[in-house]
């Protein structure tokens, strides 16, 4: 085999251009496939391990109040392993301006932290990155690691927080990440987390600000009535000259209900200045007062024993525990579902792109190896005539593609994981809070790599076997193209005679080399389609941004109202900032045999919160029923005039309502209706958001408002996340372009090598090199033009497929590709094809006519 090994080396050096292209095509396919899968599968696997290690809850409960007794009842239910309750409420950070928003390098006007007050941390365990572990007995807070990193907050720093005007200071004693805050956004108007103006903290329930409780008690209608009565009593006593409240006549005290619970003397002393003596006044009003008895726990999380019985646990909670508003699973949780959706979307478009890369590369490599073996037929015949055994000849030629494919496959997997997988996974994790993550190479990557190697090897083997079946004397001759007159009937047509010689020659050659022509069409069209798709994704995202922020959301500021705002606070807000409001409630509706939970937005903000139709044009909703987004209607098979049965979660009143119409929303699939219709059902409208175009840049806190959100912050957040997508798009464009250059060059080399004999014949007949170049270039230009024409609509179809199928049930926007994208993709591909063929055409001058023509003797 020593002689054959030398021949292998000589052949590789002699045909280095072809073997380099084989290596590059195989490498690029596996590089893209392994790299994209590395980071997408890494996302999925990293989350799975994190959720398992930190014991992510299986169920979330919302209730009017989960008391001690109710918590124990929940824990005693079958298949409930553990349960914890919490208080969750937003707080503004005092002096937010000292922090700089890394997205725009401007001062943060309103930094909001979601405060979670907990009793234990056995479920949904915090992952500590810096500082001390959680303990209920410790004072201080555990801060979101990502926002701490972005804003430069460290362990030991002190933050002053305000919950609806009740201020309290806490020291940061730990930086953490928590599994149910992997994907964490301010509200449903945001898409991506920014980790700049909104974060979360965890605190012991013992740190819940007592001042907040006192304010709530003092603002209650019962306490206001009691205060008024006390003031009236004090005035009457003073009129009678009674100023020593410890000696109030018994006839007066006996006439007051509940006097046994009141330290009346102290209450009368403090009533005029109760706001500065809140705790003492409230204790005087109720001798048995304990602030912990005033805590209202609206939330609980559940860890189940057997995940297969989650639905049974959910039903038991609803059936056996009073005042339960909702019981939801992981799939209903925004953090869990948002992250899973991102991973699933990535799997879809990574499968489309990497699959197409692999398909194009396989076709090109297979064609190249097949042509290479055919080109070597005279040498194969010589080796056969010299008595070398057939299996040795076969092994030698099979080894060409086998070893190159193996090397390309190994390098593709390694570099794909490092260059694409690691880089893009780290970029993803800038937005999703998972503390430990790694790229993952799933078996499919190895299977695909092995399949590519096997296909290349098999095709080489079959090509070689086909040649070796022929007698040595026949193999020693160059294979003549087999042309049937019937197959080339075009040459007998009258118009054919009027064509130029170059056109006639190329039409005949295309008819003789259908496989090569088809491969060229597929290769060029596939690469152009990838470029169109990559640019088209960018165009579509820009179109979505315009739809969302120029058509639907026409406001500058959104005020998210506190859940327990007072009527006076609400009146003051709408008087100052306008009456454009909305309320979003959870509703359940019956669909076949199941109950489906979806949002219902009651829109009373016409002009600022716009509803759009199928063509993204604004319209005004009628007051006679429910509207449903088109995608949601499609999912559940609902049509206009269909009647659905529904109720607001927490209410026992069910309604039967017709679907009045459809609307489209790019990022929220839900029901919509007007305030007038909602109130006509008997439900009470209580706005939870106010929209305004007033300038609130200098306002940091408003009574009755949880958060003040600017539309610009939403845009900044989305644009920061889109930076990663644009990098991915750039990668796809780069790989597609390189693959296109390699394929076009390789196909040109194959085409040229096959036509050596014909070109030599044309030279003998007196054609100069310029005329032959024209013939060669013309055919490849034809193929490029046809391939480009086919690829442009296919690029749109592929882009539309990605946005329709990859983005899940939450979003609804399709491909929007600008004419410029089509132009730059078409022109770019044409120029590359023309230049490469122009370069290859220079070899025509170097054709050795003697060797080319004598080789067939």
């Amino acid at each position: 085999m020593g002689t054959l090994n030398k021949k292998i080396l000589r052949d590789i050096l002699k045909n280095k251009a072809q073997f380099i292209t084989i290596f590059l095509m195989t490498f690029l396919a596996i590089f893209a496939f392994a790299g994209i899968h590395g980071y997408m599968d890494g996302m999925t696997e990293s989350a799975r391990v994190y959720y398992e290690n930190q014991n992510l809850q299986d169920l979330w409960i919302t209730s009017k109040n989960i008391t001690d007794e109710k918590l124990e009842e929940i824990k005693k239910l079958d298949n409930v392993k553990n349960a914890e309750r919490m208080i969750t409420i937003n707080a503004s950070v005092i002096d937010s301006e000292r922090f700089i928003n890394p997205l725009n390098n401007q001062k943060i006007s309103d930094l909001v932290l979601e405060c979670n007050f907990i009793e234990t941390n056995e479920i949904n365990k915090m992952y500590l990155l810096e500082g001390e572990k959680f303990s209920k007995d410790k004072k201080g807070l555990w801060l979101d690691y990502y926002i701490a990193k972005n804003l430069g907050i460290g362990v030991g720093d002190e933050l002053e927080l305000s919950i609806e005007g009740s201020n309290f200071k806490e020291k940061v004693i730990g930086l953490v990440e928590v599994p149910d805050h992997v994907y964490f956004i301010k509200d449903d108007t945001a898409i991506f987390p920014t980790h700049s103006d909104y974060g979360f903290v965890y605190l012991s329930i013992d740190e819940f600000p007592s001042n907040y409780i006192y304010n709530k008690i003092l603002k209650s209608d019962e306490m206001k009535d009691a205060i008024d009565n006390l003031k009236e009593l004090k005035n009457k006593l003073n009129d009678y000259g009674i100023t020593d409240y410890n000696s109030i006549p018994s006839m007066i005290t006996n006439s007051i209900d509940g006097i046994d619970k009141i330290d009346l003397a102290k209450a009368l002393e403090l009533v005029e200045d109760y706001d500065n003596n809140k705790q003492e006044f409230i204790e005087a009003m109720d001798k048995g007062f304990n602030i912990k008895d005033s805590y209202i726990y609206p939330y609980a999380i559940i860890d189940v024993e057997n995940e297969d019985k989650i639905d049974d646990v959910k039903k038991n909670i609803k059936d056996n525990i009073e005042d339960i508003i909702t019981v939801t699973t992981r799939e209903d949780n925004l953090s869990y579902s948002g992250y899973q959706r991102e991973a699933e979307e990535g799997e879809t478009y990574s499968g489309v792109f990497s699959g197409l890369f692999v398909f194009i590369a396989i076709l090109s490599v297979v064609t190249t190896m097949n042509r290479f073996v055919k080109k070597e037929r005279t040498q194969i015949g010589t080796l056969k005539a010299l008595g070398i055994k057939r299996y040795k000849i076969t092994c030698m030629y099979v080894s060409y593609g086998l070893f190159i494919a193996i090397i390309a496959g190994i390098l593709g997997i390694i570099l794909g994981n490092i260059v694409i997988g690691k880089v893009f996974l780290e970029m993803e994790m800038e937005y999703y809070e998972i503390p430990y993550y790694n790229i993952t190479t799933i078996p499919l990557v190895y299977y695909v790599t092995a399949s590519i190697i096997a296909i290349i090897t098999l095709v080489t083997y079959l090509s070689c076997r086909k040649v070796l079946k022929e007698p040595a004397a026949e193999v020693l001759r160059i294979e003549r193209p087999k042309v049937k007159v019937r197959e080339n009937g075009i040459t007998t047509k009258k118009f054919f005679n009027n064509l130029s010689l170059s056109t006639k020659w190329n039409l005949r050659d295309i008819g003789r080399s259908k496989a090569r022509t088809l491969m060229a069409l597929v290769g060029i069209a596939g690469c152009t389609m990838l470029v169109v798709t990559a640019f088209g994704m960018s165009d579509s995202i820009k179109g979505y941004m315009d739809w969302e922020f120029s058509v639907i959301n026409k406001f500058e500021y959104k005020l998210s109202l506190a859940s327990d705002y007072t009527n006076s606070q609400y009146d003051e807000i709408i008087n100052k900032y306008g009456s454009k409001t909305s309320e979003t409630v959870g509703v359940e509706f019956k669909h076949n045999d199941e109950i489906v939970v979806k949002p219902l937005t009651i829109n009373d903000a016409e002009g600022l919160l716009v509803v759009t139709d199928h063509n993204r044009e604004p319209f005004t909703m009628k007051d006679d029923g429910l509207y449903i987004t088109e995608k949601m209607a499609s999912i559940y098979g609902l049509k206009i005039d269909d009647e659905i049965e529904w109720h607001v979660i927490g209410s026992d009143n069910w309604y039967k309502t017709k679907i009045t119409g459809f609307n489209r929303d790019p990022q929220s699939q839900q029901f919509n209706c007007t305030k007038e219709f909602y109130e006509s059902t008997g439900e009470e409208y209580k706005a939870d958001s106010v929209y305004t175009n007033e300038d609130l840049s200098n306002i940091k806190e408003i009574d009755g408002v949880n958060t003040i959100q600017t539309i610009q912050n939403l845009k900044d957040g989305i644009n920061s996340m889109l930076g990663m997508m644009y990098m991915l798009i750039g990668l796809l464009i780069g790989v597609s372009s390189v693959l296109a250059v390699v394929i076009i060059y390789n196909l040109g080399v194959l085409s040229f090598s096959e036509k050596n004999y014909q070109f030599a014949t044309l030279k003998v007949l007196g054609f100069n090199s310029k005329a032959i170049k024209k013939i060669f270039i013309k055919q490849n230009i034809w193929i490029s033009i046809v391939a480009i024409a086919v690829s442009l609509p296919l690029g749109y179809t592929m882009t539309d497929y990605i946005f329709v199928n990859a983005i899940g049930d939450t979003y609804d926007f399709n491909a929007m590709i600008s004419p410029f994208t089509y132009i730059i993709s078409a022109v770019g591909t044409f120029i590359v094809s023309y230049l490469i063929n122009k370069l290859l055409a220079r070899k025509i001058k170097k054709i050795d006519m003697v060797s080319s023509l004598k080789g067939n003797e």
Side-chain angles (χ1 to χ4, degrees):
M1 287 293 288
T3 303
L4 293 182
N5 286 336
K6 289 178 182 177
K7 174 175 168 37
I8 291 173
L9 291 174
R10 281 198 303 269
D11 286 344
I12 290 175
L13 292 172
K14 182 181 176 182
N15 300 280
K16 55 182 178 293
Q18 285 180 266
F19 286 113
I20 289 173
T21 57
I22 291 170
F23 171 83
L24 284 175
M25 284 186 288
T26 307
F27 168 77
L28 286 172
I30 297 172
F31 172 78
F33 189 83
I36 295 175
H37 267 280
Y39 98 83
M40 295 311 309
D41 296 321
M43 283 185 68
T44 303
E45 181 62 16
S46 298
R48 186 194 66 77
V49 172
Y50 180 48
Y51 291 150
E52 184 177 323
N53 290 346
Q54 304 308 121
N55 195 25
L56 175 67
Q57 59 264 41
D58 298 296
L59 293 172
W60 283 255
I61 293 177
T62 305
S63 174
K64 293 178 180 178
N65 185 19
I66 302 172
T67 60
D68 293 341
E69 296 77 14
K70 201 176 289 185
L71 183 66
E72 290 305 313
E73 288 178 25
I74 293 170
K75 288 181 177 180
K76 290 176 183 177
L77 293 175
D78 290 342
N79 205 36
V80 172
K81 189 175 182 179
N82 196 6
E84 297 178 5
R85 58 184 180 169
M86 63 175 64
I87 299 173
T88 299
I89 190 168
N90 282 346
S92 295
V93 177
I94 303 299
D95 194 21
S96 298
E97 293 89 347
R98 61 193 169 109
F99 302 112
I100 302 298
N101 189 332
L103 298 178
N104 52 27
N105 291 320
Q106 296 179 358
K107 292 180 179 180
I108 295 176
S109 59
D110 185 28
L111 173 58
V112 177
L113 298 176
E114 178 197 86
C115 295
N116 299 275
F117 297 90
I118 60 176
E119 298 173 294
T120 59
N121 192 225
E122 296 171 4
I123 308 172
N124 192 40
K125 297 176 183 176
M126 293 181 237
Y127 183 86
L128 184 69
L129 289 108
E130 293 181 32
E132 306 175 27
K133 288 185 177 180
F134 173 81
S135 170
K136 185 185 176 186
D137 301 325
K138 289 182 180 178
K139 293 183 176 296
L141 59 82
W142 286 262
L143 177 63
D144 173 6
Y145 171 77
Y146 271 52
I147 202 164
K149 179 179 69 174
N150 282 345
L151 302 184
I153 303 172
V155 173
D157 292 348
E158 190 174 65
L159 297 176
E160 184 176 1
L161 306 177
S162 174
I163 300 178
E164 296 178 28
S166 300
N167 295 3
F168 62 105
K169 290 183 179 180
E170 295 286 351
K171 186 176 286 187
V172 177
I173 59 174
L175 302 180
V176 298
E177 293 181 23
V178 186
D180 71 349
H181 284 76
V182 167
Y183 173 73
F184 184 60
I185 57 176
K186 206 165 192 175
D187 59 25
D188 57 4
T189 57
I191 298 180
F192 302 117
T194 62
H195 307 299
S196 58
D197 62 350
Y198 189 56
F200 65 85
V201 297
Y202 277 75
L203 305 94
S204 165
I205 190 63
D206 294 339
E207 294 301 291
F208 195 86
S210 55
N211 203 39
Y212 174 81
I213 299 293
Y214 299 145
N215 285 338
K216 289 297 177 188
I217 294 172
L218 290 170
K219 289 178 181 178
S220 67
D221 292 337
E222 294 83 356
M223 182 60 79
K224 286 180 178 178
D225 291 341
I227 291 170
D228 290 340
N229 291 336
L230 274 176
K231 288 180 178 179
E232 185 178 351
L233 175 60
K234 185 175 181 178
N235 290 333
K236 288 181 179 179
L237 292 172
N238 291 341
D239 291 342
Y240 287 110
I242 300 174
T243 55
D244 182 3
Y245 303 128
N246 289 306
S247 59
I248 300 174
S250 58
M251 61 180 290
I252 295 177
T253 57
N254 289 339
S255 66
I256 302 175
D257 292 333
I259 192 67
D260 56 316
K261 292 185 178 181
I262 298 175
D263 184 341
L264 186 57
K266 191 170 184 180
L268 287 168
E269 286 179 5
L270 298 174
V271 71
E272 297 296 342
D273 194 26
Y274 65 85
D275 200 44
N276 291 320
N277 301 278
K278 296 172 184 175
Q279 181 176 355
E280 292 179 87
F281 178 73
I282 290 171
E283 288 174 352
M285 294 296 288
D286 188 347
K287 293 177 182 177
F289 174 76
N290 182 348
I291 192 168
K292 291 185 178 179
D293 294 335
S294 298
Y295 290 169
I296 295 176
Y297 293 88
Y299 307 110
I301 52 179
I302 309 295
D303 184 19
V304 302
E305 289 278 3
N306 186 348
E307 291 184 3
D308 295 333
K309 296 182 178 179
I310 284 179
D311 290 337
D312 294 336
V313 177
K314 184 177 176 180
K315 187 175 185 301
N316 282 342
I317 293 172
K318 282 187 171 182
D319 293 344
N320 298 303
I321 309 299
E322 292 183 356
D323 296 328
I324 296 297
I325 298 174
T326 61
V327 183
T328 56
T329 63
R330 289 183 180 182
E331 285 69 26
D332 302 314
N333 176 256
L334 181 62
S335 170
Y336 183 86
S337 63
Y339 184 85
Q340 295 300 116
R341 185 169 60 244
E342 176 70 13
E344 289 167 4
E345 290 167 13
E347 287 175 6
T348 301
Y349 64 71
S350 69
V352 171
F353 278 110
S354 54
L356 194 55
F357 279 132
V358 170
F359 174 71
I360 294 170
I362 288 176
L363 284 180
S364 300
V365 172
V366 163
T367 304
T368 303
M369 288 306 302
N370 184 44
R371 296 293 176 185
F372 173 73
V373 171
K374 286 186 176 182
K375 180 183 173 183
E376 290 282 299
R377 63 181 282 114
T378 54
Q379 295 199 36
I380 292 173
T382 302
L383 293 172
K384 187 177 180 181
L386 291 172
I388 297 175
K389 294 181 179 180
R390 288 173 61 176
Y391 85 88
K392 287 186 176 181
I393 298 173
T394 303
C395 288
M396 181 186 74
Y397 280 95
V398 164
S399 66
Y400 286 116
L402 177 64
F403 292 121
I404 289 174
I406 289 174
I407 294 169
I410 292 171
L411 287 175
I413 292 173
I414 294 171
L415 294 179
N417 281 330
I418 294 173
V419 176
I420 300 178
K422 188 175 180 181
V423 170
F424 279 92
L425 183 61
E426 288 180 351
M427 289 180 65
E428 284 276 12
M429 293 310 169
E430 288 292 318
Y431 300 93
Y432 298 101
E433 299 199 26
I434 294 183
Y436 42 87
Y437 49 86
N438 291 290
I439 52 176
T440 301
T441 305
I442 59 174
L444 177 64
V445 174
Y446 297 113
Y447 296 154
V448 168
T449 304
S451 298
I452 292 174
I453 295 170
I455 290 170
I456 294 171
T457 304
L458 178 63
V459 169
T460 309
Y461 166 74
L462 293 175
S463 300
C464 195
R465 184 176 171 220
K466 181 180 178 182
V467 174
L468 287 170
K469 277 184 176 181
E470 300 178 35
E474 188 64 30
V475 176
L476 286 169
R477 292 181 177 275
I478 293 176
E479 185 180 25
R480 292 170 180 260
K482 296 177 181 179
V483 183
K484 294 181 181 179
V485 175
R486 227 179 270 170
E487 291 180 356
N488 276 304
I490 189 174
T491 61
T492 65
K493 304 297 181 183
K494 186 176 181 180
F495 81 92
F496 187 80
N497 295 325
N498 298 323
L499 300 176
S500 66
L501 178 65
S502 62
T503 302
K504 291 177 183 178
W505 191 92
N506 280 316
L507 285 173
R508 287 194 179 103
D509 187 64
I510 289 171
R512 292 168 184 165
S513 307
K514 296 183 182 69
R516 187 193 71 230
T517 303
L518 182 62
M519 184 58 245
L521 284 170
V522 171
I524 296 172
C527 294
T528 308
M529 181 172 68
L530 286 170
V531 173
V532 171
T533 303
F535 278 115
M537 288 175 66
S538 176
D539 291 342
S540 300
I541 292 295
K542 290 174 183 175
Y544 153 74
M545 291 282 286
D546 182 67
W547 184 12
E548 183 69 25
F549 295 110
S550 298
V551 180
I552 293 179
N553 297 311
K554 303 285 285 185
F555 56 87
E556 290 298 322
Y557 290 87
K558 176 183 177 181
L559 310 181
S560 297
L561 304 181
S563 59
D564 52 356
Y565 63 80
T566 64
N567 290 335
S568 60
Q569 288 174 331
Y570 179 73
D571 291 339
E572 186 175 353
I573 291 169
I574 62 174
N575 285 335
K576 280 187 177 181
Y577 309 114
S579 58
K580 302 293 186 180
T581 64
S582 74
E583 180 186 9
T584 299
V585 298
V587 298
E588 291 181 325
F589 76 97
K590 295 179 181 179
H591 176 67
N592 297 331
D593 296 327
E594 61 178 335
I595 301 293
V596 181
V597 178
K598 286 292 177 181
L600 165 63
T601 294
I602 304 103
N603 190 335
D604 194 36
E606 187 176 350
L608 296 187
L609 186 62
V610 177
V611 182
T612 58
D613 62 17
H614 177 79
N615 298 316
R616 307 181 185 186
E617 295 295 328
F619 73 95
T620 301
M621 292 189 292
K622 297 178 181 178
D623 301 330
D624 56 352
L626 291 175
Y627 285 76
I628 183 174
T629 51
E630 283 187 9
K631 189 163 189 177
M632 181 175 159
S634 174
I635 292 169
Y636 295 104
L638 296 173
K639 302 183 295 295
I640 293 176
D641 291 334
D642 282 357
E643 192 173 65
I644 62 166
E645 193 171 354
W646 62 281
H647 81 115
V648 178
I649 293 175
S651 169
D652 296 328
N653 299 320
W654 284 82
Y655 309 103
K656 287 186 177 180
T657 305
K658 282 189 176 183
I659 301 296
T660 298
F662 293 155
N663 69 290
R664 284 191 73 190
D665 192 296
Q667 72 173 59
S668 182
Q669 307 314 310
Q670 59 179 14
F671 291 107
N672 298 275
C673 71
T674 63
K675 176 185 174 183
E676 288 73 13
F677 168 76
Y678 187 69
E679 290 181 330
S680 71
T681 65
E683 294 290 337
E684 180 187 0
Y685 175 79
K686 185 179 181 183
D688 57 21
S689 300
V690 176
Y691 306 91
T692 182
N693 287 325
E694 297 289 330
D695 183 8
L696 305 182
S697 56
N698 295 320
I699 297 177
K700 301 172 184 62
E701 194 169 290
I702 300 172
D703 286 343
V705 174
N706 267 346
T707 58
I708 304 171
Q709 196 166 12
T710 70
I711 198 72
Q712 188 58 48
N713 285 345
L714 296 177
K715 292 180 183 177
D716 290 342
I718 292 175
N719 284 327
S720 68
M721 184 66 177
L722 291 179
M724 193 203 72
M725 178 168 281
Y726 291 139
M727 280 196 66
L728 178 60
I729 289 170
L731 173 73
L732 295 172
I733 293 170
V735 174
S736 301
S737 300
V738 172
L739 194 60
V741 170
V742 172
I743 286 174
I744 292 170
Y745 178 80
N746 183 56
L747 292 170
V749 169
L750 283 176
S751 176
F752 185 84
S753 63
E754 287 185 0
K755 296 170 184 173
N756 257 340
Y757 178 77
Q758 292 95 320
F759 288 159
T761 303
L762 290 173
K763 273 196 168 189
V764 170
L765 292 173
F767 286 84
N768 58 35
S769 297
K770 186 177 180 181
I772 299 172
K773 284 180 184 180
K774 183 180 178 182
I775 292 172
F776 175 72
I777 294 172
K778 180 182 280 190
Q779 181 180 139
N780 292 320
I781 287 177
W782 288 356
I783 293 172
S784 297
I785 291 173
V786 173
I788 290 168
V790 170
S791 68
L792 297 183
L794 288 177
Y796 175 87
T797 302
M798 185 174 174
T799 307
D800 196 56
Y801 172 83
I802 289 173
F803 281 108
V804 170
N805 295 279
I807 59 178
D809 294 340
T810 304
Y811 301 107
D812 178 22
F813 56 96
N814 47 12
M816 291 177 279
I817 303 180
S818 69
F820 180 73
T821 290
Y822 291 120
I823 293 169
I824 195 172
S825 301
V827 172
T829 303
F830 181 83
I831 289 174
V832 169
S833 177
Y834 178 79
L835 291 177
I836 288 175
N837 285 293
K838 189 84 172 173
L839 179 68
L840 290 171
R842 295 168 63 182
K843 292 185 177 182
I844 290 173
K845 288 184 178 179
K846 300 177 182 178
I847 293 176
D848 186 346
M849 289 183 288
V850 175
S851 61
S852 296
L853 295 172
K854 292 281 289 182
N856 202 31
E857 293 182 2

